[in-house]
Amino acid sequence: MGMSALGVKIGPLVMNSPIVMAGGIFSYGEVNIDFVNYKKLGAIVTKTVSLKPRKGNPQPRIWETSSGMINSVGLQNPGIKDFIKNTLPSIKRDGVKVIISIMGEDEEEISRITRILMGEKNSYNAIELNLSCPNVNRDEIMTSQSPEMTSKFVKSVKRVCGDMPLIVKLSPNVTDIVEIAASAEEAGADALSMINTVKALSVDFKNNRIIEGGLSGPSVKHIGLKAVYDVYKKSGIPIIGIGGITSGKDALEYIAVGASAVGLGSGFFSNPLLIDEVYDTLSRFLRENRFKTLADITGLLNEKKKQGQNMGRNFRGKRY
Amino acid sequence: MEAKNFKIGSVTNLTRQIYRLELEGSFTTSPVPGQFIHIKVDDRLFLRRPLSIAGYKNNILTLIFQVVGEGTKMLSNKKKGEVLNVIGPVGKGFPINKNWKNILAVGGGTGIAPLIFLIDYLSHSRTTFLYGARSRQYIAFTALPKGVNYIFATDDGSYGHKGLISKTTSDFLRKNEKPDVIYGGGPYELLKKIGELSEKHNIPAFVSMENRMACGMGLCYGCVTKIKSGSVWEYKRVCKDGPVFSTKEIIWE
């Protein structure tokens, strides 16, 4: 049996659907949400796990904006050992791939956590290295803001995880995301997740305070699209496009500019049927435009493919 | 927990800023008092709004809310027949024990919503309901169940005792037979005071907490509050681990 039309390969990771629940928005995948259609889901990325437990940030952690939300959860998690013992066994799978998101303060720590995780390598399918949480050590730079640091962290994980697929999650808060992506790729990343939330701030005059955190939702979609477009042009590894997807058409846009898969985030909170909508739109698009697989349309509107076989094909994207 | 559409049966202005919203439809699993729903109010608002369930009977889901911001304002302007997408029922409800016969409910503002559902549910018990509001005009008299002993307090003294309901609660506990349990809902400061009184009089107390929420399903860890865990504390989710907590577990700010 081959893959279904919407099956995708993210490097060595094979998924039945290109739809991924992005890191941090679906707990660890252990919460049973009856209305989530697992048949249409490709993978779940867990909340980010660190070596030691992290209490996370104080309230307020959530702030609605005019077209999205700011979050400041701060990577609350029980630590890798507790996670492996108490949460990993209860992650619901049903054919959905499990991607464990990890973070580390330095190279030694990220190596250690990877080593611990590799002891359980049959219990999950890939690792996502979160180098880009805007809510930790806010005054310092994020690892993914430095090509050198990105390279060191990715190498530290890849040396230990070997054949285990490694996805690297990047921040849009950089001068040139293409440079960071290249450095992750060169260091051994199998795929990229982009974008993480965008650093942002709200003013709350009711309490005369500011709310800082990471912005998500429709307001970041065009930042994500531009990042995916630019990186796809230069990069040779698959991209999971994330940022402000609230419809099937949004997902199609990410794929058309270069994403091989799409991550859903806060849009799912607003619309619990988003997984079905994205899946059904992508299926319909392939069928109506006579494409065989999703890989055929990845990057369709990216200038990288200008000389490619797909240019000039009269597909009908505006109907979606 | 389900995600489904409910048709608005009625939107009624009970008094001042307080409204009753009746939604027509049913859940596969009936909600219990203390649980809430997460409601998609309008496409102009990105996030849903959590609202306590004030009743569920004969395929009518009743909500009581006060207009406090944009979301509740939009909700108050909804019309009969409009359809709203609802996620629910969510969260852990009030613990109920057959041996608790003498019940004290303490509610402030629209914190009364889950208590109304609870009182209806515990109809066999002897209940005293202490209800605090800003002034007489802010008391939702028509929402209150019958067969309950009510004591009111208003900030301006326009109805019942003058002052905060927490003061009335403190006085009540000093002068009356000790209740078996205290149930509370309302502003944070009131819940905190209920916690203090619960400890002082050695009465179990359970309160319904509120917080800003994103997912409302236990997924995002946005709505957390500090809860004791052994000798330390951790942030627990109001939406999934609560919204009802024992006051003994809560670390008050």
Side-chain angles (χ1 to χ4, degrees):
Chain A
M1 272 289 285
M3 286 194 295
S4 70
L6 282 192
V8 290
K9 280 169 78 176
I10 301 300
L13 178 67
V14 179
M15 311 193 298
N16 292 327
S17 153
I19 303 169
V20 175
M21 298 308 266
I25 76 117
F26 205 61
S27 190
Y28 304 92
E30 87 290 12
V31 181
N32 188 30
I33 306 290
D34 305 318
F35 47 80
V36 167
N37 189 345
Y38 274 65
K39 287 197 178 70
K40 293 182 175 176
L41 199 55
I44 288 160
V45 184
T46 66
K47 265 176 77 59
T48 299
V49 186
S50 51
L51 188 62
K52 296 270 165 60
R54 291 179 57 92
K55 284 195 181 294
N57 289 340
Q59 290 291 351
R61 286 184 173 190
I62 300 293
W63 202 259
E64 188 177 46
T65 65
S66 50
S67 187
M69 61 176 265
I70 290 176
N71 93 78
S72 168
V73 172
L75 303 185
Q76 174 178 346
N77 79 91
I80 187 71
K81 286 186 178 151
D82 185 283
F83 164 77
I84 286 172
K85 185 163 168 258
N86 296 314
T87 309
L88 186 58
S90 52
I91 296 178
K92 190 177 161 185
R93 287 145 210 278
D94 281 2
V96 170
K97 297 290 155 67
V98 174
I99 302 170
I100 314 272
S101 172
I102 57 170
M103 60 92 73
E105 298 280 339
D106 52 40
E107 295 157 67
E108 199 206 314
E109 195 177 298
I110 203 70
S111 292
R112 271 184 71 190
I113 189 168
T114 309
R115 217 169 296 127
I116 296 170
L117 208 46
M118 286 308 286
E120 310 292 325
K121 65 179 176 190
N122 296 322
S123 310
Y124 60 95
N125 309 97
I127 293 173
E128 180 170 279
L129 178 57
N130 182 359
L131 300 179
S132 49
C133 177
N135 292 318
V136 176
N137 304 332
R138 226 171 248 153
D139 297 330
E140 295 168 23
I141 76 157
M142 297 182 272
T143 308
S144 77
Q145 285 174 320
S146 149
E148 292 78 26
M149 293 293 288
T150 298
S151 172
K152 284 180 182 170
F153 271 65
V154 174
K155 279 180 182 158
S156 300
V157 174
K158 197 64 194 176
R159 249 198 308 270
V160 182
C161 78
D163 291 339
M164 178 65 72
L166 174 61
I167 303 162
V168 177
K169 185 145 184 187
L170 301 182
S171 168
N173 290 121
V174 290
T175 312
D176 181 11
I177 197 165
V178 178
E179 186 189 11
I180 309 288
S183 138
E185 181 176 357
E186 195 267 333
D190 295 299
L192 301 167
S193 266
M194 53 200 280
I195 53 175
N196 207 321
T197 55
V198 182
K199 285 190 176 211
L201 182 150
S202 264
V203 175
D204 170 23
F205 275 128
K206 198 172 167 189
N207 299 294
N208 283 330
R209 63 180 176 179
I210 55 144
I211 315 291
E212 270 195 273
L215 184 65
S216 64
S219 40
V220 310
K221 187 183 87 176
H222 299 277
I223 299 172
L225 286 171
K226 171 68 175 154
V228 170
Y229 183 91
D230 287 350
V231 169
Y232 178 79
K233 220 164 38 170
K234 298 282 171 60
S235 164
I237 53 176
I239 300 167
I240 302 173
I242 307 166
I245 295 176
T246 62
S247 68
K249 180 171 166 287
D250 291 339
L252 199 53
E253 288 175 13
Y254 267 100
I255 290 164
V257 301
S260 296
V262 288
L264 306 185
S266 46
F268 168 71
F269 299 159
S270 188
N271 176 10
L273 297 180
L274 187 57
I275 297 165
D276 303 73
E277 277 182 32
V278 168
Y279 191 94
D280 296 347
T281 300
L282 296 177
S283 295
R284 194 156 61 87
F285 181 85
L286 290 187
R287 196 171 59 242
E288 291 182 359
N289 291 286
R290 296 162 195 260
F291 288 104
K292 281 204 184 65
T293 69
L294 204 69
D296 294 338
I297 63 167
T298 287
L300 201 59
L301 292 179
N302 194 298
E303 64 186 276
K304 186 181 184 175
K305 287 218 168 154
K306 267 212 168 117
Q307 310 304 322
Q309 56 175 336
N310 294 314
M311 266 319 279
R313 195 197 274 264
N314 184 24
F315 70 90
R316 296 167 294 179
K318 68 178 180 188
R319 287 179 39 182
Y320 302 83
Chain B
M1 190 199 310
E2 296 168 71
K4 59 184 298 182
N5 290 332
F6 281 72
K7 199 152 120 189
I8 296 177
S10 66
V11 189
T12 315
N13 180 220
L14 298 179
T15 176
R16 287 290 163 106
Q17 303 292 308
I18 301 174
Y19 289 79
R20 175 169 54 215
L21 177 65
E22 289 189 327
L23 299 176
E24 294 168 356
S26 62
F27 290 115
T28 312
T29 310
S30 290
V32 294
Q35 287 190 304
F36 69 95
I37 58 162
H38 211 31
I39 191 165
K40 180 72 184 173
V41 176
D42 193 286
D43 282 340
R44 286 169 290 175
L45 300 173
F46 186 61
L47 295 176
R48 289 166 177 262
R49 295 295 186 271
L51 289 177
S52 284
I53 298 169
Y56 180 76
K57 222 181 258 173
N58 309 323
N59 294 335
I60 303 278
L61 179 71
T62 304
L63 308 164
I64 292 168
F65 64 94
Q66 185 165 354
V67 173
V68 289
E70 222 180 341
T72 41
K73 179 83 203 156
M74 286 177 182
L75 203 54
S76 72
N77 288 325
K78 295 281 176 189
K79 299 281 176 285
K80 179 179 162 73
E82 284 185 67
V83 169
L84 294 171
N85 188 264
V86 166
I87 292 175
V90 199
K92 292 205 173 83
F94 290 103
I96 289 166
N97 184 322
K98 275 191 303 222
N99 298 321
W100 295 340
K101 297 210 165 66
N102 179 10
I103 287 161
L104 183 64
V106 182
T110 46
I112 59 161
L115 299 174
I116 287 173
F117 190 15
L118 179 71
I119 287 168
D120 220 28
Y121 208 78
L122 299 173
S123 49
H124 63 280
S125 307
R126 185 154 53 89
T127 304
T128 302
F129 193 163
L130 311 183
Y131 180 177
R134 216 182 302 175
S135 70
R136 187 194 169 105
Q137 287 91 346
Y138 283 86
I139 299 173
F141 289 105
T142 51
L144 300 177
K146 301 206 166 25
V148 177
N149 171 34
Y150 288 99
I151 300 173
F152 296 92
T154 50
D155 298 352
D156 63 0
S158 54
Y159 196 78
H161 298 270
K162 184 175 192 310
L164 295 175
I165 195 67
S166 52
K167 171 75 167 51
T168 306
T169 310
S170 169
D171 293 345
F172 179 87
L173 288 169
R174 216 172 43 237
K175 291 173 189 160
N176 291 275
E177 186 196 338
K178 193 164 124 173
D180 298 318
V181 63
I182 308 175
Y183 294 116
Y188 189 84
E189 289 305 318
L190 171 61
L191 305 186
K192 184 176 176 180
K193 188 72 192 176
I194 292 171
E196 286 167 23
L197 293 169
S198 147
E199 200 176 316
K200 185 176 167 193
H201 295 273
N202 194 25
I203 305 164
F206 302 94
V207 294
S208 171
M209 307 271 290
E210 295 171 13
N211 222 335
R212 284 172 191 279
M213 288 182 187
C215 75
M217 299 179 256
L219 302 175
C220 74
Y221 286 75
C223 63
V224 297
T225 194
K226 283 182 186 172
I227 297 293
K228 281 175 200 155
S229 168
S231 58
V232 292
W233 61 268
E234 61 180 313
Y235 281 121
K236 293 259 194 186
R237 298 161 291 190
V238 168
C239 70
K240 188 169 172 66
D241 303 309
V244 174
F245 292 100
S246 159
T247 54
K248 273 195 292 196
E249 306 173 276
I250 301 167
I251 307 262
W252 302 97
E253 301 285 336

